Amino acid sequence: MASDFTQQIREKARELLEDGTVECVIGYETGSDGISARPAFIYNAADVERLVFDNTCTHNLVKYLLNKKAKSTAVVVKGCDSRALNLLLSERQIERDKAFVVGVVCPGIVESRWNERSEQLQKRCDWCRQHTPVVSDFMVGDPVTEQPPADFADVAEEEAKTAEERAAFWQQQAERCIRCYACRQACPGCYCTDCFAESLDPEWVGIRIAPAESQMWNTIRAFHLAGRCISCNECERVCPVNLPLSLLNRKLEQKVLELFDYRAGMSEDAPAPLITFKKDEKLGIAE
Amino acid sequence: MSENSAPLIIGFLCNWCSYAGADMAGTSRAAYPSNIRILRVPCSGRVDPMMIVKCFQEGADAVLVAGCHPGDCHYNEGNYYGRRRFALLRELLDFMGVERERFRVEWVSASEGKRFAKIVTDFTNEMTKMGPRKAS
Amino acid sequence: MVQAESSSLEPVAKRVYSYYPGCSLHASAKEFDVSAKLVCQKLGIELRELEDWICCGASAAHSTSHLLSLALPAHTLKQAGEKGLPLAVPCAMCFSRLRITLHELKKKETLDLVSRTLEKELSTDVTVESMLDVLANESISLPVTKPLERLKVACYYGCLLARPPEVIGCDDAENPQTMDRLMGRLGAEVADWGLKTSCCGAGVSFPRLDIVLKLSHRILSLARSTGADCIAVACPMCHANLDMYQKDMTAKHKEKTNLPVLYFTQLMGLALGFSPKELHLDRHLTDPLPMLREKGLA
Amino acid sequence: MLKSTAIILGPVNDFLSSVQSHTGQSITACYQCGKCTAGCPSAYAMDITPRQIMRAIQLGLKDEVLDSSAIWLCLSCETCSLRCPREIDIARVMEAMRHLSLSEGRRPAQKDVVTLYNSFLQQVRLFGRVYDLGFGVAYNMRSGHPFSNVTRLPGLFARRKLKLAPDRTKGASEVRRIAARAKELERMRT
Amino acid sequence: MSRIGVFVCHCGTNIGGVVDVPKVVEAAKQMPLVVFADENKYTCSELGQASIRNAIDEHRLDRVVVAACSPRMHENTFRRTVAAAGLNPYLLEIANIREHCSWVHSDHDEATVKAIDHVQMAVAKVARHEALFPKTIGLTKRALVIGGGVTGIQAALDIAATGHEVVLVEREPSVGGRMAQLDKTFPTLDCSACILTPKMVDVAQHPNITLLSYSEVKEVRGFVGNFEVDILKKAKMVDHSKCTGCGTCWQKCPGKVSSEFDLGLGQRTAIYIPFAQAVPNKPVIDLENCRYQTFLKWDESQGGKKPPECRICEKICPTKSIDWEQQDEIVTEKFGAIVVATGFKTFDHSVYGEYGGGRYPDVISSLQLERLMSAAGPTEGEVVRPSDGAHVKNVVFVQCVGSRDDRVGRPYCSKVCCMYTAKHAIMLKEHDPDVQCYVFYIDVRAGGKDFEEFARRAQDESGAIYLRGRVSHIYQDGKNLKVLGEDSLIGRPVEIEADLVVLATGMEASDNADTLAQTLNISYTIYNFLIEAHPKLRPVETQTDGVFVAGSAVGPRDIPECVAHGSAAAVKAVALLSQDSLKSDPLTSIVDPMKCVGCFACKVVCPFNAIEEQVTRDKRTVSSINENLCKGCGLCVVACRPGAINLRGFTSQQLLSEVLTLVRE
């Protein structure tokens, strides 16, 4: 099946490059360990054979579209990636007419480890309710019926603790954070050229490496993604010290679903919950 | 956290309703505990969640945001946006160990001086009972 | 349901209905039953009467037990549902009870309760049509052999075919047109009058005849004042009240009340060429035949 | 009309709230415009009018409502509900009041009307369908007007309006079962 | 390095009685950047203000903190004070140690500690204050009045009287509105036309007023003081510059149609003026019904015989004013202020099937009755029934038709019906003493000067019988109408045989009120009535500066109220126009284009459309603030993740440093 996906992607890529629809196709190729895929940028039809698609294609290529100078580009997107695409379209970071979207019905992505095969599905795939891309100009694979809502067992588990335990838990996490900002770089929702975290005036996050500052960073990072996070779990996957970052996003995702019946990136025009409102909604504050 | 065991409460009051409400509490001599420190903001919609998180990170024991009643916002819609942001923020804070009780949002009109005093009194008592924040 | 081809020579596709006559049509309102069947036959509409059908409970159940008033019609709905055909109902009372029950059963808790009462699985997946709606369907062409020219008809719908409009599916609860249009297509002139949907008092017929007489007389005399030759009805109760007591009214009001009251199916029958005998036009207490003769329709 | 004593209003009004919850109608919405009465075909014969029924419920005057003739003279024609400017289904309320009055075993202000209904249902339980003649006779006997409408019989027979034997259906037993079940379930619910 | 001065006020004993003021002063002296601190008995007194001015000179202060009463009390006072000493007025901060401290706390030590904290916060904040300068904007000293009813007329005349130019836009061919259709007015019974027409003429003749009849507002751009409005001038087909309004054309025109002005009770010609006293008194051609147009549109294929070419008006016009070439045109005008007075229309009773749904000729609306009663109306004041022209004897009035009725989506009270019905009952009796009027009402609402007396008069003197109850059914019975109601006071149904029924149809917002509101960016209710800035205190202003509302476009109102609101709106407009320039509050948002990523969350949340898109030199589309529209709420600041937007006077830096003084002590 995967190989057949690869074929379809290659053919489409060739066609797009030959008839000049796009000047670059962003897809996946086999990495240097000969196992796990890495992003590939194809400019000539001759090179399309490099393209592959399999269950190691973990990267969200949508982020490469953020370069506004680029001309028309084709990009291969999985279900979750497509939600990121919608998010960025709605926030006007990508010009739709310059992007040709090759949607791939995602088979599920495995944990990629250097130089070894893994059949272990990634965490995000357990949560995933969107294997079929929500936006695409060309679809590879047949749309699948999606699973019922993911339950938020992980969140519930954390909430079972006392406030004191939770405080302590996040305190420990904060102590381990080295503020390398890998989470930010990997996140499709984090694209600001100047991040609040590096602003010296106002100094929201002090430059000293201290738990309080890291706590501040992690909290606001999560909150800036409230109602925007497409739960791809990249932040957590790339974290060098394995902080449970998604847990924060998941908590907010759950609440956003409950209060606003909203899932980020499902459509290009549904406004994110924090930039809209209903006059007579009950949200459990000041009532 | 403030040295004295008395809890430190930071209040953000919208200029048009709640700040005026607090003034009314003054003119009608409605007494309340002195723990609260009041910042004037144009609108509850101006209160940045980052600011609230910062308050807690820096050791405040509690935060109060007060704005116009829904429908009465001087800027028509400010408190509606605020309401959504705060609803989510409070969940996140609680999830991270800052008990939801410590972050309060209230709608106080310019005429509700006595009510403002009562809110602050109850809030302060509750916070004193809970004691200072653990951790950080 | 298949739509009739207007311009084609093949025989019109047959319409088939389950048929629920209701108690009256097997007794006092036999003529309604007979005329309805004849007309349907003529128009290629097949009626299959439900076997062992039971009473709808009428206003008696409605006024005494909410649950019973739903349970009895629900049983009939169940029967009809099993047949998988739309249900045609001539009697306005039965029709109203069935439609209202169907409507109430849309509520989950009601559905459960009534199912428990019948000890049967109920579904709301069945269509109930009044005989009037069945026959007034404009896509059915009417082979009129004896147009009702020179006949002015006051169409009377009563309560049950009008209210509540959203449940009954009435085109205009204050001034319905379904029957009027139908009579128009048969060549009759119709009266525009203001009591088409006013109540005749059926609910309390025996115990408070005084009320029935007052209400029915008001209806009859207004219809008469519009110059109507007869009243067309689609409800056995209305028919009984308007037809049966005209002598009493004449006595009471010292002015002759004599206005034939016919089932709309009987008028259709006449236009489609059936004889007064076939249509049981001799079964009314206010004899319509003299008037019909005078109009050359009998 | 209303009783000859002053109305004493208590602090809580259970009747109002129970009627509202039971019928799903907002009685308090009624502003007494009287359109219900104006269009009611039998209002002229009622002791208190539909509008007054609504008012009495608002004030919690249970007896005035349940002992009124109005609830029994209501013809369920639904004209009031159709035209109410406050969108109250008054007919629904009247119906509920009839049921309540029966379930409380009150003596109906129009007992003949109730007799009529019972005789009717009796026929239905007997034969599964209504048998007009039997129905008529039963009513006359139970209501104690043995000769009402008797004068009409010749005419009716002449026009073959009345059959001499009831229409029998296997459904009859079904009806009896349903009626019993309904009674039982309704008792359980109250 | 800024030099901050702190002035702590005793406010007599109001503050000093609880807060240890000297202690606060001492503490203040220790605060960073504070070079001077002092106390006053009454800082707001001339003496206190002088001490501030002197200190500014003496100690070269560049920022000032006043610890006293609420800023809502004296912020402006002290801004003037520092300005007088040559400081920018925005380099001032107030610490509220009275309302928020001494008046609500009794423990002296606690109060003092809190006062010090508040001074500390103010110091921290003032240190980050910048000099701010209100922008001055020029303005166009002209007003646009939309709607030529009595409200619009009043507003236009009042504005014009102050010497400002006014453009009055009216959709219909003549001004006058609903009031022109009325016969008499309550409770004084003076003739509507007699009091209105002079005003209509004044409008036409006033040198400062340009009347654009038969025109509509299409687009509105810009902001307070500087609106740019596109107005559609519908083609009249008559050159009004030549036309003298002699009337020959409309006397001769053969194209007869039913008259809108007479609500179908009379006829007008295809070239017409809506009514005799119309202003302008010059005709327009209704192309729908003009014979020449039918002649032009006719084509062989449809068969039938060719209609006559007509063009009679053209032939007989003495001034050759008929202009078949005229086209709709759009003109763009500049204005400083806009008054919206689009008025109301009456409820269409045909939705009431139980009242005949409009199919009984003798069931008419109150406005139709006005036309029947008017001497200038289709029957020259004879009140006769439309069906057979018979004189009426038994007249039934039905109140609240399209009012107080949820079922037709009109739960509100239309306010004027009770009174105009009383008027009708009185008038009919005066027309013919044999007339008997019956009025079905729910409540008689007669709140207003001489109103109750007037409503009583209808019953006491004119003998109208008032029946408390809403009519349920009206039907034709022979020549007459049967009316079924209840007398809810006696509790019995009532049946009346009437030869005329008059329905008191309620008030509705006029057509397209909502579209216009959107064009003007002002809000409106679900019934399309316009919403004022504050229902009590700002009744003619709106949330959009420079746009004012008046009359029944805001809600059901009677004539005196409409006129009053017209004048009120005029004053507000004039107050605006009489300024030489407008000062924009400098406490607005500001965007750092370098940080902006162009997600435009700010644009989505801004309630005032103040966010505009701007392309930077490096071709990025970023947001920028239109400071004339920005009201300084700061919603955009919070919506902006990268922190590209800030709010002057309440910058994130300032709020943050205030907080830090509290937590890092």
Side-chain angles (χ1 to χ4, degrees), chain C residues 216-230:
Chain C
S216 302
H217 178 259
R218 191 171 63 133
I219 293 164
L220 285 162
S221 47
L222 187 71
R224 162 68 75 207
S225 77
T226 64
D229 305 301
C230 67

Side-chain angles (χ1 to χ4, degrees), chain E residues 250-324:
Chain E
W250 67 76
Q251 281 146 20
K252 295 280 181 296
C253 172
K256 299 269 186 295
V257 281
S258 95
S259 145
E260 300 85 0
F261 187 81
D262 287 334
L263 304 146
L265 295 169
Q267 286 199 318
R268 64 158 171 87
T269 48
I271 184 167
Y272 74 109
I273 56 169
F275 54 102
Q277 311 89 325
V279 169
N281 203 274
K282 299 175 179 180
V284 300
I285 296 180
D286 154 17
L287 294 177
E288 289 306 300
N289 300 291
C290 168
R291 294 205 173 177
Y292 180 42
Q293 299 303 317
T294 13
F295 167 81
L296 293 174
K297 288 198 208 78
W298 187 79
D299 72 88
E300 315 291 339
S301 57
Q302 284 151 3
K305 76 177 243 294
K306 197 166 173 53
E309 189 175 3
C310 190
R311 297 177 78 165
I312 292 171
C313 50
E314 184 181 0
K315 295 190 192 88
I316 59 171
C317 175
T319 58
K320 298 281 158 276
S321 311
I322 307 298
D323 172 5
W324 302 111

Side-chain angles (χ1 to χ4, degrees), chain E residues 539-554:
Chain E
V540 295
E541 289 144 284
T542 67
Q543 284 298 353
T544 304
D545 294 351
V547 177
F548 308 97
V549 290
S552 51
V554 180

Side-chain angles (χ1 to χ4, degrees), chain A residues 286, chain B residues 30 69 106-109 111-120:
Chain B
H69 287 272
E106 293 286 352
W107 310 133
V108 178
S109 80
S111 61
E112 297 178 311
K114 291 219 158 43
R115 185 161 164 269
F116 177 80
K118 185 174 187 321
I119 288 169
V120 176

Side-chain angles (χ1 to χ4, degrees), chain C residues 23 26 28 31 53 55 62-63 65-67 75 116 119-120 163 174 214 248 282-284, chain D residues 44 77 83 95 98-99 128-130 132 139 152 159-161 163 167 169 174 177 181 186:
Chain C
C23 309
H26 272 214
S28 52
E31 61 273 34
W53 53 265
C55 173
H62 171 65
S63 286
S65 155
H66 189 60
L67 186 48
H75 176 272
R116 273 173 43 225
E119 290 157 320
K120 286 200 179 80
R163 291 177 293 265
E174 297 291 356
K214 183 181 195 311
D248 309 58
D282 54 352
R283 283 172 57 106
H284 302 303
Chain D
Y44 78 92
C77 74
R83 295 174 184 166
E95 178 198 356
R98 289 191 288 274
H99 300 162
R129 300 179 188 170
V130 174
D132 316 33
Y139 169 71
R152 306 182 187 287
R159 302 276 187 313
R160 315 196 309 284
K161 280 261 174 203
K163 335 204 262 191
D167 209 14
T169 158
E174 191 63 13
R177 207 174 51 75
R181 279 285 286 165
E186 257 175 353

Side-chain angles (χ1 to χ4, degrees), chain D residues 156-173:
Chain D
L156 292 167
F157 280 119
R159 302 276 187 313
R160 315 196 309 284
K161 280 261 174 203
L162 294 174
K163 335 204 262 191
L164 296 167
D167 209 14
R168 295 187 182 279
T169 158
K170 293 200 196 62
S173 56

Side-chain angles (χ1 to χ4, degrees), chain A residues 215-273:
Chain A
Q215 186 93 292
M216 184 72 192
W217 156 249
N218 289 318
T219 317
I220 301 303
R221 184 199 67 81
F223 196 79
H224 275 185
L225 287 158
R228 300 174 62 243
C229 173
I230 51 113
S231 45
C232 65
N233 194 44
E234 282 298 272
C235 46
E236 185 170 314
R237 196 182 62 86
V238 300
C239 178
V241 295
N242 303 322
L243 299 180
L245 297 173
S246 274
L247 199 49
L248 297 176
N249 302 75
R250 297 258 299 154
K251 169 65 195 175
L252 288 166
E253 183 189 353
Q254 177 196 33
K255 215 57 202 169
V256 165
L257 201 55
E258 173 191 323
L259 290 178
F260 312 119
D261 184 29
Y262 181 89
R263 290 175 65 215
M266 296 308 289
S267 105
E268 184 183 338
D269 9 73

